[in-house]
Amino acid sequence: MVVLRCAERIIPKLHAFLLIFANFAVADVHDELDIPRKYIRSRELNSYFNLRLFWKRGYRWQESSSEKKWCMQCTLNRCTEGSSIKIDTCDRSDSRQQFYFDNRRIRSRKNKQVCLERQGRSIKLDQCNNSSSQKWSGLFESREFQLRIPGSSNKCASQHHHPKAHERVYMESCKLSVENKTDKWIVY
């Protein structure tokens, strides 16, 4: 009888503990595999956005403490294969600056056949495929993130130093990008 009373008190507590533990375990697996919680499933291709360099109060870019909104943009007007990626003043109506998340790839809205691809240090648009050079980690919808190679924290997509118009975006040391405060992006 005493055993039953103890079990009645312990089982609900054990159940609650196991539920909490299971939630942490799932979160740890997502973090370990670098799967953003918001993007476990592919985002719909009709939900496009701009990728903007993250800025916050206290940043000084080009000797100015006022906010600048720099967005990724393909360098060729039609965003064709081989187009490099640069930053320019954000324009939400410019389809050259609009992208989709698609199965950990970043697909162009202007030309849905091409995705951002790492080619050495360069980042260019190339025909979308399932290659690892088109997969990105760190993608979040609701907060800033580093755009990185899956499984690596050494290289980030950046434009190297304090941003200005038409600078190319490429893979840079995350450490250097952090020093220049150009290591993070946001969905805009």
Side-chain angles (χ1 to χ4, degrees), residues 29-40 49 51 72 100-106 116-118 123 131-141 143-158 171 174 183-187:
V29 166
H30 289 170
D31 292 341
E32 194 65 32
L33 296 176
D34 204 14
I35 301 171
R37 288 175 187 85
K38 289 276 186 175
Y39 288 104
I40 294 169
F49 55 86
L51 280 173
M72 277 192 192
Y100 303 100
F101 289 145
D102 174 30
N103 193 23
R104 299 184 79 171
R105 295 177 299 189
I106 300 173
L116 265 62
E117 181 173 282
R118 297 178 306 279
I123 300 173
S131 75
S132 61
S133 60
Q134 290 186 358
K135 301 288 182 175
W136 298 89
S137 67
L139 309 172
F140 287 94
E141 180 176 21
R143 67 177 179 91
E144 72 274 8
F145 55 88
Q146 290 180 326
L147 200 50
R148 297 181 275 109
I149 299 168
S152 172
S153 58
N154 296 333
K155 299 285 184 186
C156 297
S158 179
M171 298 308 291
C174 290
D183 64 311
K184 294 188 178 100
W185 299 86
I186 58 170
V187 168

Side-chain angles (χ1 to χ4, degrees), residues 101-113:
F101 289 145
D102 174 30
N103 193 23
R104 299 184 79 171
R105 295 177 299 189
I106 300 173
R107 187 182 292 263
S108 168
R109 178 177 183 227
K110 180 81 173 179
N111 177 355
K112 291 180 184 160
Q113 304 305 310

Side-chain angles (χ1 to χ4, degrees), residues 1-184:
M1 191 63 130
V2 174
V3 173
L4 282 175
R5 284 188 197 143
C6 286
E8 286 174 346
R9 281 185 265 159
I10 293 173
I11 288 175
K13 291 177 182 176
L14 181 60
H15 183 257
F17 170 78
L18 290 173
L19 285 175
I20 291 169
F21 178 77
N23 284 335
F24 281 120
V26 167
D28 290 344
V29 166
H30 289 170
D31 292 341
E32 194 65 32
L33 296 176
D34 204 14
I35 301 171
R37 288 175 187 85
K38 289 276 186 175
Y39 288 104
I40 294 169
R41 285 173 259 129
S42 292
R43 191 169 166 155
E44 296 296 319
L45 287 179
N46 60 2
S47 181
Y48 59 86
F49 55 86
N50 294 49
L51 280 173
R52 190 184 97 190
L53 270 175
F54 174 73
W55 183 91
K56 70 179 180 181
R57 185 164 302 199
Y59 280 17
R60 284 187 67 80
W61 287 340
Q62 301 296 334
E63 305 305 321
S64 173
S65 59
S66 61
E67 182 177 9
K68 300 283 191 272
K69 294 180 180 174
W70 299 111
C71 285
M72 277 192 192
Q73 175 178 315
C74 55
T75 55
L76 301 175
N77 284 335
R78 293 185 352 186
C79 296
T80 53
E81 267 184 67
S83 178
S84 295
I85 302 298
K86 66 177 181 177
I87 57 168
D88 211 341
T89 304
C90 292
D91 179 353
R92 287 187 167 159
S93 65
D94 187 345
S95 61
R96 295 174 302 157
Q97 291 186 3
Q98 297 167 347
F99 300 94
Y100 303 100
F101 289 145
D102 174 30
N103 193 23
R104 299 184 79 171
R105 295 177 299 189
I106 300 173
R107 187 182 292 263
S108 168
R109 178 177 183 227
K110 180 81 173 179
N111 177 355
K112 291 180 184 160
Q113 304 305 310
V114 295
C115 293
L116 265 62
E117 181 173 282
R118 297 178 306 279
Q119 298 176 0
R121 280 188 68 198
S122 298
I123 300 173
K124 297 189 177 212
L125 292 177
D126 204 356
Q127 195 72 23
C128 292
N129 57 52
N130 286 319
S131 75
S132 61
S133 60
Q134 290 186 358
K135 301 288 182 175
W136 298 89
S137 67
L139 309 172
F140 287 94
E141 180 176 21
S142 58
R143 67 177 179 91
E144 72 274 8
F145 55 88
Q146 290 180 326
L147 200 50
R148 297 181 275 109
I149 299 168
S152 172
S153 58
N154 296 333
K155 299 285 184 186
C156 297
S158 179
Q159 56 26 271
H160 181 60
H161 54 81
H162 296 175
K164 57 185 176 185
H166 311 294
E167 289 185 320
R168 293 215 173 169
V169 177
Y170 57 95
M171 298 308 291
E172 175 62 76
S173 157
C174 290
K175 183 180 176 183
L176 185 58
S177 298
V178 167
E179 289 173 14
N180 288 305
K181 298 175 175 55
T182 58
D183 64 311
K184 294 188 178 100

